[in-house]
Amino acid sequence: VKDFQLTLTKLMSLLFCASLCEVAKTEHESFEILDISGMDSDSLRYLSGKGQKREIIMQWIQQMIVDNTRSGLIDIAPPILSRVWQELSIGVVHFNNARKLTDVPFPFPFAQMVFIMLIFFSCVPLPMICAAYLSAVAGPCYCFICASVLWSIHYIAIEIEIPYGNTANALPLAEIQNNFNQSLTCFLHERTQTAPSFEFVRSDRAESVGLVR
């Protein structure tokens, strides 16, 4: 059982890392994984030479669950075991939704039209508005504020178009990977896998069960 838990935990960490690498598509980003020492070196060598790392690791996890179910190591009811397959499939769906932000770019013609219209708005209507003001200070200030607001919204949209990367406004993928590894490590702890015991102490009062703050 311990070997199965350790192998599954390491594969889950490796799967999460492969998913982040596929979504981020950054060459300089490195993610930490749990120690994979002891795993089959031929399988790891095969994995490193393939581009479909996420699909291969997912297949390993599913095959390992099937094999251990047949051997009787995983002795749980089928309805409960089916939740494992459902959670894995839900994870694949969420991954594909996240990858859409990377694989499907913002329409280039629409982006160019927005850029041209901003230039037109900065060069043509704003000087006309400036000329409508009799004050030499209020007109230019109003034009500058209007143009700055629109250009700021445009550049903010460009910055957050793809939330994966190494920029300051990108998601902290490395931190997300580390938190996931810590959660996996916590699940392996003996105290986490052991439910706490409880001894009911009978009380003379009717309010024997209450809230403890």
Side-chain angles (χ1 to χ4, degrees):
V1 177
K2 289 294 183 181
D3 293 340
F4 171 76
Q5 292 177 346
L6 288 174
T7 306
L8 181 61
T9 302
K10 294 179 179 181
L11 287 178
M12 290 301 298
S13 177
L14 197 60
L15 175 64
F16 198 80
C17 177
S19 301
L20 289 182
C21 291
E22 189 173 343
V23 168
K25 293 184 178 180
T26 56
E27 299 178 356
H28 304 289
E29 189 74 24
S30 59
F31 304 106
E32 296 182 358
I33 60 176
L34 297 180
D35 185 18
I36 57 176
S37 60
M39 297 184 67
D40 185 9
S41 59
D42 293 336
S43 299
L44 295 178
R45 193 178 304 109
Y46 169 79
L47 179 65
S48 62
K50 296 295 182 179
Q52 301 80 13
K53 294 181 175 58
R54 180 181 57 85
E55 290 84 354
I56 295 175
I57 301 172
M58 178 68 75
Q59 176 63 24
W60 287 351
I61 294 175
Q62 293 175 345
Q63 188 63 45
M64 186 177 63
I65 295 175
V66 171
D67 294 340
N68 286 275
T69 302
R70 290 176 177 175
S71 65
L73 181 64
I74 303 178
D75 187 16
I76 59 177
I80 300 177
L81 183 60
S82 64
R83 287 295 303 172
V84 176
W85 307 108
Q86 295 177 14
E87 292 297 329
L88 290 175
S89 62
I90 290 174
V92 173
V93 171
H94 289 323
F95 167 78
N96 291 327
N97 291 333
R99 196 174 62 176
K100 291 177 184 178
L101 299 177
T102 304
D103 295 343
V104 182
F106 192 78
F108 181 76
F110 189 84
Q112 296 303 306
M113 183 196 69
V114 172
F115 185 74
I116 293 174
M117 293 301 294
L118 284 175
I119 295 178
F120 176 80
F121 181 76
S122 301
C123 297
V124 179
L126 290 183
M128 298 174 59
I129 297 175
C130 184
Y133 280 85
L134 299 179
S135 174
V137 178
C141 290
Y142 179 79
C143 294
F144 175 77
I145 293 175
C146 292
S148 299
V149 169
L150 294 177
W151 280 102
S152 298
I153 295 175
H154 174 67
Y155 284 113
I156 290 175
I158 295 176
E159 181 68 19
I160 64 176
E161 178 182 357
I162 300 179
Y164 318 114
N166 297 323
T167 61
N169 296 316
L171 293 175
L173 299 182
E175 182 179 351
I176 294 175
Q177 174 70 32
N178 294 334
N179 293 336
F180 185 74
N181 292 334
Q182 293 177 4
S183 298
L184 292 176
T185 305
C186 180
F187 292 151
L188 291 176
H189 199 276
E190 183 179 358
R191 299 295 298 178
T192 305
Q193 300 182 13
T194 304
S197 59
F198 175 77
E199 181 180 358
F200 181 76
V201 179
R202 184 176 299 275
S203 176
D204 296 335
R205 296 180 303 172
E207 300 84 4
S208 59
V209 179
L211 295 178
V212 178
R213 297 185 181 274

